[in-house]
Amino acid sequence: MGQAREVMDRLMAAMESKDKEALAGCYAADAVLGTPDQGEITGRAAIADYYFHFWEAMPDVKYEFVDKHEAGNVAIDEGFVTGTNTGALNMPTGGTLPATGRRVRVRSCDVAKVEEGFITSYRAYFDQMELLGQLGLLPEPSRQ
């Protein structure tokens, strides 16, 4: 196992235990996180805050691994994010969405670039429409 895999596994363990300090410690001070819902987030404190707010919205959130990869200084995790939406979700517009009480299971792929023992670039991919649909926030399709 290389350094990229070790750091990614440490990050996922911090997410599992919802340890904000340990999570922040996986990122370089000027790291960049790219997300489909909030765009680019820069800096370890801002990245940790992003995850913290997500944990507040889904306190029981878990990651179901499908596969783990490593190539040089890049680690990739594929799986599903699962959880129950019992808290407000931050919206890209700056507002919040009230809790729906619904359970979700959304496909996810995470790509981390590691340099000198820290994540410098992280891309989180998930389908926002899949998430919104499972939260019951999309109109029902019309039946003709």
Side-chain angles (χ1 to χ4, degrees), residues 1-8 26 69-76 110-123:
M1 174 179 358
Q3 184 181 63
R5 182 78 259 153
E6 289 173 17
V7 174
M8 182 69 123
C26 294
H69 309 276
E70 182 181 41
N73 68 340
V74 175
I76 302 167
D110 299 274
V111 181
K113 182 178 178 185
V114 175
E115 296 175 13
E116 298 179 14
F118 296 98
I119 297 169
T120 57
S121 173
Y122 194 96
R123 298 286 178 248

Side-chain angles (χ1 to χ4, degrees), residues 30-99:
D30 60 349
V32 177
L33 167 66
T35 71
D37 60 332
Q38 299 293 323
E40 285 198 352
I41 301 166
T42 302
R44 68 168 54 119
I47 292 168
D49 284 344
Y50 169 80
Y51 285 108
F52 181 77
H53 292 299
F54 194 77
W55 297 335
E56 287 182 324
M58 294 190 190
D60 65 344
V61 69
K62 299 279 185 220
Y63 196 90
E64 294 176 8
F65 291 95
V66 171
D67 213 342
K68 296 180 178 188
H69 309 276
E70 182 181 41
N73 68 340
V74 175
I76 302 167
D77 285 344
E78 296 177 89
F80 292 88
V81 174
T82 65
T84 309
N85 177 222
T86 59
L89 272 170
N90 289 336
M91 301 300 290
T93 58
T96 57
L97 182 68

Side-chain angles (χ1 to χ4, degrees), residues 119-132:
I119 297 169
T120 57
S121 173
Y122 194 96
R123 298 286 178 248
Y125 298 98
F126 62 90
D127 186 333
Q128 292 182 79
M129 293 299 282
E130 183 178 38
L131 176 63
L132 293 173

